[in-house]
Amino acid sequence: MPLILCASKQKPPSPSPVFSPLPSIFASPCLCSPLPRKLQAGRPARPASGIRGSEGPLRLGRAWARLAGAPKILVPWRTTLTRIGGQYGAGTESYFTLLRFLLGLNILGALFQGALTLLPLLLLGPIPGPPSQGVHQPCGPYDPLPQGLVDYPTLLINLLSGEGHLEWSPLFYGFYPAQLSGGTFRLPVAYLLSTFVSGLLCLLLILHRSVSGLKQTLLSESGALTSYSHRIFSAWDFGLRGAGPVELRRRALRYELQVELEEASERKRAEARTRAQWAGLWATRILLNLLVLAMLGAAFYGIYWAVDPNKVLQNVPVVLETPVLRLLVAYLPSIFISAANLLLPPVFGLITGLEGYPRSRQLQLLLLRTVFLRLASLVVLLASLWNEITCGGKPEAEACATCGYNSAERPCWETRVGQEMYKLLLFDLLTALAIPLLVQFPRKLLGTVCCGRLGRLLGTMEFQVPEEVLGLVYGQTLVWIGAFYCPLLAGLNAIKFLIIFYLKRFSLFFFCSPASRTFRASAANFFFPLVLLLGLAISAVPVLYGIFVIPPSKLCGPFRGQVTIWAAVPHAIQGLPRTARDFLFFLGTLSFAVPLMLVSSVLMVYTLTLASSYGRQVSKLKGHIKMESKSKVLLAQRIVALSGEERDL
């Protein structure tokens, strides 16, 4: 037990306005009397103040702490996130922290893409024109620019669908030429390098974030930081200034204690169940999971029908003559995907609440089901596009025999994939803008107008963290898939995330109330990056397949004329000096790969062995701590017993 020094019985002076006192809910009465005068007289005299006195190192330490904490001031939205954590809990704060992290990832990706592809094109030039204006070629023709005057409805449709003049712009893959003027800068290699560097940087940053979140999760689950005494006696920050931060910190601690109490009550209810109750609960869980699978299957079939692989809807005469219907058919996959993502997650939330899991497990199940819905819907869309581009994986088919892909339908198939990702991203932004305006604001208005239980039901809205997080993961996965085919997509997504941050903050403070049931923030800090890693892994499959397997378009893009997109890398290596060329080719041989794998295996075994030994040592130390606590309890009981015997005597 730490020694607690208490004040005297006299009236304490008023607290300083600089530092906040401990709030009243955590203040405890004085447990000890003032120190005797003899002890006070026996204390050594305080040394003189100054840089050589005892206050000198203290002042230097405070100055160094301020200097070390200066970079934190530059962190964007630090005050806003603190306010959100104090008013709505750490779980809601974790969503905005993840949004800020993804905004940084997109800004870095946009900088890499712009510096390696767009900037050299603008500086070295020339700006390329359309490849074949009215000229028939074996894999064409391909003329994306409209002829003659274009009316305003068509311009709006082109802006929303990425066609027309926008199709032949730096926004999409087909605009970039195979070679710049001068011939020294290899744009195809820089194009590939920007994609791989951005993906690797995202992977490293997400791994770093997930490892830090894993440490917090292990600490919270081990019980070292979940005791109520830790929350009350060790979690207060005495450096808080003003009444506002004090109140926010008090609320944050209250939410943490609420999470602890909810999980403890859930564990007690689970321990009190009988075998018959467990059997009925598992039967209910199986039936509910079958219902979830049925809803997912219906959603995937609707998305496959909306893609319209046979072009039935696009060739209807009414659709061809009406611009609005053309736009609706073009956005039909996006509409179906967004509708499934909006309607099914609330149903999944109701189903998860009936399965009898603890709050943290409910959050994980809801995230897994929702991320499976969102990412699997993208997989269905990409599979439909693959079937359309590669003739169902049959290069010997009549439509794909000439160029290796369906050049009659998609003369520049990379731009087609980029357009689909562009439309999905744009529709996701429009959906995020429409929900507060068309759903939350009318509901809040009706809640203020209506009275009684109906008014409380309509006006009470909670910020659904799992659904909002999956929206961020879905948008970021779109960028990872489409960044190769739409190089400026990361910049557009950064603008979208910036708009979403202020929009969600406004809707949180004005429309939503604090959640009735909270969850542990440490689990969110680990699980959210894990879902991001899953999205990155899924998005890497179609991008790598397009780079290594599908032949590039013959009429557009920086890889025209190559067998595959990756073939540009060996072709560029051939132009290097012999020493560098031999070294790079050696890195791709088995003579380098086998020793590297052996060394990696040895290091992995060593790391696992070291971690296991550390784990055993930690277990022994925990056992010693338990024995020490038990011996102290026994000693205290013995002292109480002896004091009782002396009192009897």
Side-chain angles (χ1 to χ4, degrees):
M1 291 293 293
L3 181 61
I4 302 178
L5 295 178
C6 302
S8 61
K9 295 182 180 179
Q10 299 177 0
K11 183 178 180 180
S14 60
S16 174
V18 177
F19 298 101
S20 65
L22 189 68
S24 58
I25 60 171
F26 297 110
S28 58
C30 186
L31 300 177
C32 54
S33 59
L35 293 174
R37 296 184 178 273
K38 294 181 180 181
L39 292 179
Q40 294 180 1
R43 283 184 174 182
R46 177 183 293 182
S49 62
I51 196 66
R52 293 185 179 181
S54 62
E55 294 184 359
L58 183 60
R59 291 178 180 177
L60 288 177
R62 290 177 179 175
W64 177 254
R66 293 192 189 98
L67 185 62
K72 296 181 180 180
I73 303 176
L74 303 177
V75 176
W77 306 316
R78 186 170 58 95
T79 306
T80 303
L81 294 182
T82 304
R83 181 184 174 190
I84 291 173
Q87 292 187 4
Y88 297 91
T92 307
E93 182 186 359
S94 63
Y95 163 79
F96 288 91
T97 306
L98 180 65
L99 178 55
R100 183 180 62 184
F101 173 72
L102 292 180
L103 178 62
L105 284 186
N106 283 275
I107 292 175
L108 289 176
L111 291 177
F112 274 109
Q113 293 280 354
L116 294 177
T117 58
L118 184 59
L119 187 62
L121 177 62
L122 297 178
L123 294 178
L124 301 177
I127 303 299
S132 57
Q133 297 181 359
V135 180
H136 182 73
Q137 296 185 10
C139 297
Y142 175 60
D143 188 9
L145 297 179
Q147 302 298 326
L149 296 177
V150 181
D151 53 358
Y152 287 105
T154 306
L155 285 176
L156 180 60
I157 292 174
N158 293 339
L159 178 63
L160 295 177
S161 60
E163 298 176 354
H165 291 281
L166 199 61
E167 182 175 349
W168 193 257
S169 67
L171 182 61
F172 293 108
Y173 164 93
F175 176 79
Y176 295 86
Q179 189 175 2
L180 300 178
S181 61
T184 56
F185 187 83
R186 297 183 179 272
L187 186 61
V189 179
Y191 198 97
L192 267 178
L193 184 63
S194 64
T195 302
F196 284 117
V197 168
S198 300
L200 182 61
L201 183 64
C202 290
L203 177 62
L204 294 178
L205 291 177
I206 294 173
L207 284 176
H208 179 267
R209 185 178 178 86
S210 62
V211 167
S212 60
L214 178 62
K215 293 178 181 179
Q216 297 177 5
T217 304
L218 292 177
L219 281 175
S220 62
E221 292 181 354
S222 64
L225 297 180
T226 55
S227 59
Y228 305 113
S229 59
H230 166 77
R231 302 292 180 192
I232 295 176
F233 295 109
S234 304
W236 185 254
D237 185 5
F238 288 90
L240 295 177
R241 300 166 181 259
V246 169
E247 182 62 25
L248 292 177
R249 184 56 182 165
R250 181 185 298 174
R251 291 179 181 178
L253 291 177
R254 186 178 70 235
Y255 279 119
E256 292 179 4
L257 291 174
Q258 182 181 351
V259 172
E260 299 291 343
L261 293 172
E262 286 180 357
E263 293 189 355
S265 62
E266 290 286 348
R267 287 192 295 267
K268 288 182 179 180
R269 280 197 294 268
E271 292 174 357
R273 291 194 184 105
T274 60
R275 291 185 178 180
Q277 291 175 344
W278 277 110
L281 183 61
W282 277 105
T284 305
R285 289 175 180 176
I286 292 173
L287 293 176
L288 292 176
N289 280 284
L290 292 177
L291 179 61
V292 169
L293 291 177
M295 289 188 292
L296 290 175
F300 297 155
Y301 178 77
I303 294 169
Y304 179 78
W305 174 84
V307 174
D308 193 15
N310 298 324
K311 305 293 184 299
V312 176
L313 295 175
Q314 298 180 13
N315 296 326
V316 175
V318 180
V319 175
L320 295 175
E321 296 173 358
T322 309
V324 178
L325 292 179
R326 263 200 343 262
L327 181 64
L328 184 63
V329 171
Y331 266 86
L332 204 57
S334 304
I335 292 173
F336 262 82
I337 291 175
S338 300
N341 293 335
L342 285 176
L343 298 177
L344 290 185
V347 180
F348 291 163
L350 294 176
I351 291 175
T352 307
L354 298 175
E355 291 178 322
Y357 288 110
R359 179 62 176 171
S360 57
R361 183 64 58 84
Q362 290 182 21
L363 173 67
Q364 295 174 2
L365 280 177
L366 183 58
L367 283 173
L368 286 176
R369 288 167 179 169
T370 312
V371 76
F372 181 76
L373 169 66
R374 289 181 177 266
L375 299 183
S377 60
L378 286 179
V379 171
V380 172
L381 176 62
L382 292 173
S384 303
L385 292 175
W386 170 83
N387 186 37
E388 178 185 349
I389 294 168
T390 63
C391 302
K394 299 176 182 178
E396 68 277 0
E398 182 180 357
C400 298
T402 305
C403 302
Y405 60 94
N406 192 354
S407 59
E409 295 289 339
R410 301 299 170 193
C412 188
W413 63 267
E414 296 93 345
T415 299
R416 160 68 172 163
V417 177
Q419 286 173 344
E420 287 296 329
M421 298 299 111
Y422 170 78
K423 288 188 290 187
L424 287 172
L425 186 70
L426 193 60
F427 194 80
D428 190 31
L429 175 61
L430 295 176
T431 305
L433 293 174
I435 288 178
L437 183 62
L438 302 179
V439 177
Q440 292 180 341
F441 177 71
R443 182 176 171 182
K444 189 71 174 180
L445 188 61
L446 289 175
T448 55
V449 172
C450 299
C451 301
R453 183 177 299 178
L454 180 61
R456 290 193 299 270
L457 181 62
L458 292 176
T460 303
M461 290 178 287
E462 294 183 0
F463 192 81
Q464 301 296 330
V465 176
E467 300 174 12
E468 300 293 343
V469 166
L470 266 300
L472 297 180
V473 176
Y474 170 74
Q476 188 60 40
T477 307
L478 290 179
V479 174
W480 285 330
I481 294 175
F484 182 78
Y485 308 106
C486 183
L488 302 184
L489 197 63
L492 295 178
N493 198 45
I495 297 173
K496 188 194 84 169
F497 279 161
L498 190 63
I499 295 173
I500 285 179
F501 180 88
Y502 288 103
L503 186 67
K504 295 298 181 183
R505 188 190 68 169
F506 176 80
S507 62
L508 178 69
F509 287 138
F510 288 93
F511 299 146
C512 298
S513 58
S516 58
R517 300 185 64 189
T518 57
F519 57 92
R520 196 185 300 276
S522 58
N525 292 332
F526 169 66
F527 201 74
F528 292 167
L530 190 64
V531 176
L532 273 178
L533 286 176
L534 179 61
L536 181 60
I538 291 177
S539 62
V541 174
V543 175
L544 295 178
Y545 184 84
I547 291 175
F548 288 98
V549 178
I550 303 179
S553 299
K554 302 297 188 293
L555 302 178
C556 66
F559 303 98
R560 64 188 78 178
Q562 301 287 343
V563 180
T564 59
I565 294 176
W566 180 253
V569 176
H571 184 266
I573 293 176
Q574 292 292 342
L576 297 176
R578 182 172 181 178
T579 304
R581 183 175 67 245
D582 294 342
F583 175 74
L584 291 176
F585 279 125
F586 170 73
L587 295 180
T589 60
L590 290 176
S591 302
F592 175 77
V594 173
L596 179 63
M597 188 176 295
L598 291 176
V599 172
S600 301
S601 302
V602 171
L603 291 177
M604 187 181 299
V605 171
Y606 172 75
T607 304
L608 292 176
T609 305
L610 192 64
S612 178
S613 63
Y614 284 160
R616 289 194 297 268
Q617 187 175 1
V618 168
S619 300
K620 290 181 181 179
L621 291 176
K622 287 182 178 180
H624 289 321
I625 292 174
K626 290 181 179 179
M627 291 297 296
E628 287 289 336
S629 61
K630 289 181 180 179
S631 62
K632 289 180 179 179
V633 170
L634 292 176
L635 181 60
Q637 292 176 352
R638 183 60 178 167
I639 291 174
V640 171
L642 290 176
S643 61
E645 292 178 0
E646 291 179 359
R647 192 180 302 110
D648 294 337
L649 292 175

